[in-house]
Structures are given as C-alpha cells and as structure tokens.
Amino acid sequence: MTFQFAIDPNAEQRILLAKCAGARRYTVNHHLARVKANLDARSAERESPSESGDLCEPSTHSLSWSGFSFINEFNAWKNGESEDSLVNDDGTRGLAWRHELPGDVFECASVDAARALENFSASRRGERSGTPVGFPRFQAKGKVTPSFRLRNRATPGRAPSSHPIRFTDPSHLRLPKFGPVKLFGPTRKVRRMIYLGRFHVYSATVTQRAGRWTVSLTGVAAELHQAARSRTNRHAVPVGVDRGIISLCVAADANGVPFECFEGVKTLKQAQASLKAANQALARTTPGSNGRQRAKVRLAKTHRTVVNTRRHLVHQASRALVDRAQVLVIEDLNVAGMVRNRHLARSLSDAAMGELSRQLLYKARWHGVEVRVADRYFPSSKTCSGCGEVKTDLDLSTRTYSCGTCSLVIDRDLNAAINLARWRPNGTSAVTLPAPTCALLLSTA
Ligand SMILES: [Zn+2]
C-alpha cells in the first residue's frame, strides 16, 4: 500500500534532495563498475590460456552480488575502511560528503543495484519471463529520473512518534537529515491509520518528476475492519467489467442487468489532446534554446496531468466496483500486446483498463471481494449474450451487437460485460454458475 504526496521543500532541502538523488546514482554506478570490472577480468583470464596451455578457471574470484554484501562493501568503502577507499586532499579516507546525507540512501541504492544485477543474471539463466534483461545501465545524470529511497528503520513495538520517518504535524513529514518537509494535500487518512497502528511505513521513496518532488510512503496496512470487508448489501450475482470505448468501463451482471457505466474517456481525450499540442510545440523549438526548455517543462506537466486524471478516474471506478459487488470478472489483458492501437479512444480505455485491473485486484483483497480473471481468448465481445452464438468477426467500429440468430440488439460493451460476468474457468460461458473453484481465482484467501 502506498500513499503519495507532492512535497514543497525549502531551499536547503531542495539541495539535499538533489544530493541524495546524486548519491543514489553514484552508489549504483560504484557497484556496477565493480561488478563489470570483475566480470571483464575473469573473462579475460578465461580466454588467455595459462602457461601449461590449457584453459583454466580464472584466478580472480567472483564477487558476491547479494544486497547484503553490496551494503557492507559500500559502507566500508565510503567510511575509508577499504584498501581502495578514496583518499581526500586533507589525508582523510573515504567519501568526504557521506555524513551530509542519510546513510540509508547508500544502503537502499546498494540493494537496488543488487536487484538489477539479479534480474540480469536470472534473465541470462533463462529464469525470467518477458523481454531479456541486459547488464544494468549506468545511471547518467539527466537520463534517469532523480529518485532515492529511505527506510523507516524503527524498532518493532516502538510508538510511531519515535520513528525516523513520521508526521510531525498535519502538513509535515520528517525525513532523516531533512527535518520536517512540507507536504501538499490532505494527510489525515494516512496519519490516522498510522496513529491507530493500522499502517506501518516501511520506506519513503522520493522522486522528482516534471520538476516536482513527490514522496511515496510504502508500507503494510492492516486488514480492513470486518464491517467493510463483508457488506451485506453486495450484489450477489457476479459482475463482469469490460473496457468501454465511449466510457471508461462498463459493468453488468450475469443476469444481463447493467450494473454501472463509468464515463471519463472524454476527460482523458481532452488531456490527451493537450498532450499532443505540447508535443508539437516542443517539436517546433530549436534544440538548446530557452523556448525548448520551456516547451519541455510544459510537456512534462501536461503528461503529469494525463496520468493523474486517469489515475483519479480509475480509482473512483475501482472503489465503486469493490464496494458494491461480491464477485468481479475482468479480462486478462495482455497489456504489452496492446500498447500500439491507432484508435485513440480504444487505446485510452486499454491503458485505463490495465490500471483498473491492477487497482481492482488489490482493493478486492482488502474488501474481501473475489476477482476472476477470464482468459485472454475468451470471446467476450463476439459472443451473443442472448443465445451464446459466437460471431467470427466483429469490427471495432461496430457500436452495437446485433445477433443474427436470436435477433438481439445490444450495446457492444454491455454485451461483453454480461459475457464476462458469466465466464467460467473451463471455457464455456453458462447462465448457471458453478461454485467458485477455479485455478485462476484470485480471491482473498
Ligand atoms: Zn443471439
């Protein structure tokens, strides 16, 4: 669970934020350089035959890539305790500016570097699905999003008021070495959850996007109160949720009754249009000019608006759905496969639907709602919800579904939502529903 706030740092804090983001890049690059040098040395030794003429194991030892050993190595290095530690002008050893920053910036960066290397080696061993992962990139200033993470290293059982990351008042969050940092927006909910012991902050991630710094508080939340988990007035029949074209998504139950229709595509379209305008304005500027800098800022801000608008709309929809339904059926979206879609409204609702399923899955877990995921090949749009006839072809532009067999005429998205609501894991859709015992079931248990 994550709470995100925009922050309003003072001049001093702003400098420290930039330093921390720089320290993260520095630490990650330190580890990558070390590992790369080690790999190169070993492969060079492996290729050059020894005196006896046979290929032998390299004499340079391989490094441990664990986060734990990375932390230890970097701590020793920055504190001047390693053989290869820096020697400063005044004769002291170690990283001179290490005390200005929270030590956790270095430790979390070490863990991140270890994780990136683990992804790389898992991919090389063939243990990782998806696109192959190469050797992690070195973090160049200006190329990577400025960001760093701090853990809330608190002794278990100690009051939240003693934690290194804590709210000092309704609008200020204390971060180690930063002191109280001003936050934008209402913090009442998260403060209340922390106060009641219902939310424990694990870490704070601070990120700069489009010139604005935000902090994300990540942690574990206690289960919702039983009353919120088991509402008595929930819809008993499974509810199917389909992405709409005119609307964000359309929900209907297995009896064919429309459940809810969430608008919002128009708002998204408007945001998208201003994004396009900002993009074109950027293209007209001269590289390196002040105008280009301004156009870049404008583009980034517009982009942020699009993302925030979509997130807001999708949060509303997902909340309404988990509040009212007991069983939700969604499509398994092959998100990577549908990124390119020339139909603007369609691609917008595709993107929103990907976010919606993500939110539905975690919110459903809190509220004790069951979410079933229909397989990707289930013909939810092409099946007639009246008689079960499956059309071989259905154009995207066809707004209504008209059945040749039972002469049903129904809104296309509504038809798809009804079919989803009736989806069963073994393939065929049926009006009589079996007990929920499917392998794809993502329930609360
Ligand atoms: Zn029909």
Side-chain angles (χ1 to χ4, degrees):
M1 187 172 183
T2 304
F3 290 93
Q4 198 179 342
F5 301 97
I7 60 181
D8 182 18
N10 61 29
E12 242 171 83
Q13 289 168 339
R14 203 169 273 282
I15 294 169
L16 191 50
L17 286 166
K19 277 188 181 170
C20 286
R24 181 185 179 273
R25 286 195 303 271
Y26 187 91
T27 312
V28 171
N29 289 341
H30 168 90
H31 290 301
L32 295 184
R34 240 168 31 99
V35 166
K36 190 159 191 309
N38 177 261
L39 288 178
D40 288 349
R42 281 170 60 85
S43 76
E45 283 168 24
R46 216 175 272 130
E47 272 159 31
S48 61
S50 63
E51 283 154 14
S52 54
D54 19 84
L55 297 169
C56 58
E57 262 302 287
S59 56
T60 308
H61 289 293
S62 65
L63 289 175
S64 161
W65 287 9
S66 77
F68 189 68
S69 55
F70 273 21
I71 289 176
N72 287 338
E73 192 280 338
F74 195 84
N75 278 342
W77 183 84
K78 81 171 160 59
N79 296 338
E81 292 150 10
S82 315
E83 285 172 23
D84 57 346
S85 287
L86 292 174
V87 179
N88 300 306
D89 293 341
D90 58 358
T92 56
R93 289 171 62 85
L95 210 52
W97 41 271
R98 63 181 187 270
H99 295 300
E100 296 173 28
L101 311 181
D104 230 29
V105 171
F106 302 107
E107 299 205 353
C108 290
S110 297
V111 171
D112 291 346
R115 196 172 297 154
L117 284 164
E118 170 54 29
N119 286 343
F120 160 65
S121 66
S123 176
R124 211 171 38 169
R125 289 192 307 264
E127 289 168 7
R128 198 172 188 278
S129 58
T131 41
V133 177
F135 190 82
R137 282 205 192 102
F138 283 86
Q139 311 260 306
K141 187 179 181 181
K143 290 277 170 62
V144 294
T145 308
S147 172
F148 63 92
R149 193 170 74 244
L150 301 169
R151 286 166 299 177
N152 191 22
R153 304 172 73 173
T155 324
R158 292 285 293 278
S161 57
S162 72
H163 290 182
I165 296 173
R166 62 176 183 260
F167 282 93
T168 49
D169 65 62
S171 61
H172 288 88
L173 180 77
R174 181 201 179 269
L175 294 174
K177 295 268 182 191
F178 279 86
V181 182
K182 187 170 189 312
L183 301 183
F184 288 113
T187 59
R188 185 174 172 274
K189 192 176 168 194
V190 61
R191 280 184 296 115
R192 193 175 147 76
M193 284 179 78
I194 292 172
Y195 174 75
L196 294 174
R198 301 183 52 78
F199 183 63
H200 175 72
V201 178
Y202 273 156
S203 64
T205 304
V206 189
T207 308
Q208 188 186 34
R209 281 196 196 89
R212 181 183 287 179
W213 287 95
T214 57
V215 61
S216 298
L217 297 176
T218 306
V220 276
E223 295 272 283
L224 277 181
H225 195 268
Q226 197 57 34
R229 287 175 59 83
S230 56
R231 275 166 212 266
T232 45
N233 54 354
R234 282 186 193 282
H235 208 70
V237 189
V239 173
V241 185
D242 187 59
R243 59 211 146 123
I245 293 181
I246 306 294
S247 51
L248 195 67
C249 68
V250 176
D253 73 10
N255 294 338
V257 181
F259 188 68
E260 198 143 7
C261 173
F262 296 95
E263 301 295 334
V265 164
K266 206 172 156 193
T267 325
L268 284 175
K269 245 181 171 170
Q270 278 165 357
Q272 198 87 354
S274 52
L275 190 65
K276 193 180 170 194
N279 239 322
Q280 287 167 341
L282 178 69
R284 283 194 299 269
T285 56
T286 323
S289 66
N290 284 337
R292 186 167 197 102
Q293 205 49 45
R294 278 198 302 274
K296 261 189 180 167
V297 171
R298 185 182 152 206
L299 176 65
K301 279 185 179 167
T302 322
H303 209 264
R304 192 173 62 205
T305 311
V306 172
V307 170
N308 288 348
T309 309
R310 177 158 65 216
R311 192 184 299 140
H312 177 71
L313 289 169
V314 172
H315 268 300
Q316 284 181 328
S318 60
R319 177 63 201 244
L321 286 167
V322 295
D323 264 359
R324 291 186 47 208
Q326 187 51 61
V327 178
L328 288 165
V329 191
I330 55 174
E331 269 178 292
D332 180 9
L333 295 170
N334 175 14
V335 177
M338 49 180 215
V339 172
R340 293 258 164 261
N341 195 329
R342 287 175 60 231
H343 200 292
L344 176 66
R346 186 69 176 183
S347 63
L348 281 176
S349 66
D350 276 354
M353 204 51 204
E355 176 65 13
L356 181 68
S357 27
R358 188 188 73 78
Q359 292 183 7
L360 280 179
L361 286 170
Y362 79 73
K363 290 186 184 178
R365 216 167 42 234
W366 294 348
H367 291 265
V369 171
E370 181 188 310
V371 178
R372 299 176 190 167
V373 183
D375 67 84
R376 205 179 304 155
Y377 305 104
F378 176 62
S380 59
S381 303
K382 293 177 184 167
T383 309
C384 170
S385 59
C387 66
E389 178 83 13
V390 180
K391 286 197 180 192
T392 48
D393 198 35
L394 185 70
D395 205 273
L396 254 186
S397 57
T398 317
R399 297 298 324 124
T400 47
Y401 185 99
S402 42
C403 179
T405 314
C406 69
S407 67
L408 172 83
V409 178
I410 184 171
D411 176 76
R412 174 210 178 92
D413 300 330
L414 186 60
N415 182 54
I418 297 170
N419 286 325
L420 278 169
R422 292 175 184 169
W423 176 81
R424 287 199 307 183
N426 53 9
T428 52
S429 62
V431 182
T432 46
L433 283 143
T437 50
C438 60
L440 277 163
L441 196 92
L442 294 146
S443 68
T444 50

